[in-house]
Amino acid sequence: MSKDTDVEQANGQEEQQAAPATSVIVTTEATLPPTMVSTATTVIAVTNGDKPVEVSPPTEATPAPTLAAAIATTATPTEQVQAATAATTIGGIELAADKGSGKSSMDPALINFKVLYVLTQLCGLTLIVLVGTWIGQHFGGLGGTANPKLEFNWHPLFMTIGFIYMYGNSILIYRGFRTTNKKTLKLTHAGIHMAAFILTVIALKTVFDSHNLASPPIPNLYSLHSWLGLSAVIIFSLQYVAGFVAFLAPGLRENYRIAMMPLHIYFGLFGFVLAIASALMGLTEKAIFAITNPPYSTLPPAGVLANVIGVLYVVFGALVVYLATEPAYKRKPIPEDTALLNSSSINE
């Protein structure tokens, strides 16, 4: 009995060892160094005694492509265009994109700026033409000191050219010519301001002459128009001196220039808005005093033209302020600006 029992136990052990595995799942994951691509392979070995299942061999790990190749392979066409036209950053300063980029990749905000900038120029030039037509057709044109009334007509014309149109364009010069280097823009900005200041001084002289040489003389500086206008001229003059010392004259430390920039921008825009307000007051004052036959209240052609000029003053001023303050239209530094900044810092 013991021999039979031993034989049966031995046979049972052999049968257990020979029994097929019903479901064995082996999962292997290739652990690779950081420079290798990990490939996870699942091997399923199933022997059910009837039909063997084909087992796929594990895939060998392949070296990872370089970062540039991976970006070039996986990036979509849109991402590749954006990467090609993206701005460059040097020393923490974001530089403008390459000048050679096509129109198809142009920033939509820049397209909007160009349209509004052209509209602003057309509005300003139309203003000058209409003011010249107004004083030429309805107030006898221009004259000298021999005719104080005609000499006065230089005042609205020169104020419109210098203190409105040129002042506004000087504010927009950095954004309107964004691909020009900063030093050239600074000199142009200062030059346009100087030309506007000269025309403004001549315009003030003509209005004082027209009052003092009249018979009888007309009092000076009694109206709100004269008060606000003179205040705008004073602010403009102080702005010019402060800007010249801070941003053109050598020797001032860079941190002082950075501290003065917000004040320079604010008071520049404030003076411009004050000039627009003063021009509207002066235009209304001239229309009321000078348009008498027929009176201004009946809205004759001279009165209609005066109102149209006033509306264009407002439109031009609004466009200039918007273009100068919209963050999306801000000029980005170009590589020449960075080189200039570094050289000035070394000189200091």
Side-chain angles (χ1 to χ4, degrees), residues 162-183:
F163 214 42
I164 303 297
Y165 181 70
M166 297 183 71
Y167 193 173
N169 274 281
S170 181
I171 292 174
L172 296 179
I173 192 69
Y174 289 98
R175 299 189 175 197
F177 297 87
R178 59 184 65 242
T179 58
T180 307
N181 67 75
K182 193 68 170 290
K183 185 176 182 179

Side-chain angles (χ1 to χ4, degrees), residues 166 170 185-198 240 248:
M166 297 183 71
S170 181
L185 290 177
K186 283 184 178 182
L187 295 175
T188 306
H189 180 72
I192 296 176
H193 267 311
M194 176 56 71
F197 178 76
I198 293 173
Y240 189 86
L248 275 181

Side-chain angles (χ1 to χ4, degrees), residues 32-39 61-70:
L32 303 174
T35 58
M36 307 292 287
V37 176
S38 298
T39 304
T62 58
T66 62
L67 179 59

Side-chain angles (χ1 to χ4, degrees), residues 113 116-117 119-121 123 163-165 167-173 175 265-277 312-330:
F113 174 84
L116 293 176
Y117 185 77
L119 182 61
T120 304
Q121 299 304 316
C123 183
F163 214 42
I164 303 297
Y165 181 70
Y167 193 173
N169 274 281
S170 181
I171 292 174
L172 296 179
I173 192 69
R175 299 189 175 197
I265 294 174
Y266 171 78
F267 282 104
L269 289 173
F270 176 71
F272 177 74
V273 172
L274 195 59
I276 294 289
L312 288 179
Y313 276 142
V314 174
V315 173
F316 180 78
L319 286 172
V320 169
V321 172
Y322 173 71
L323 292 177
T325 56
E326 171 58 40
Y329 302 153
K330 186 177 181 180

Side-chain angles (χ1 to χ4, degrees), residues 198-223:
I198 293 173
L199 292 178
T200 301
V201 171
I202 296 174
L204 290 178
K205 182 182 182 303
T206 60
V207 72
F208 278 106
D209 284 348
S210 66
H211 284 191
N212 297 331
L213 299 177
S215 181
I218 301 173
N220 294 309
L221 302 176
Y222 67 89
S223 65

Side-chain angles (χ1 to χ4, degrees), residues 82-120:
Q82 292 176 351
T85 59
T88 307
T89 302
I90 298 179
I93 300 177
E94 186 178 2
L95 304 181
D98 187 9
K99 298 179 183 178
S101 56
K103 293 183 179 179
S104 59
S105 60
M106 186 179 295
D107 187 2
L110 186 57
I111 298 176
N112 294 337
F113 174 84
K114 289 186 175 182
V115 173
L116 293 176
Y117 185 77
V118 171
L119 182 61
T120 304

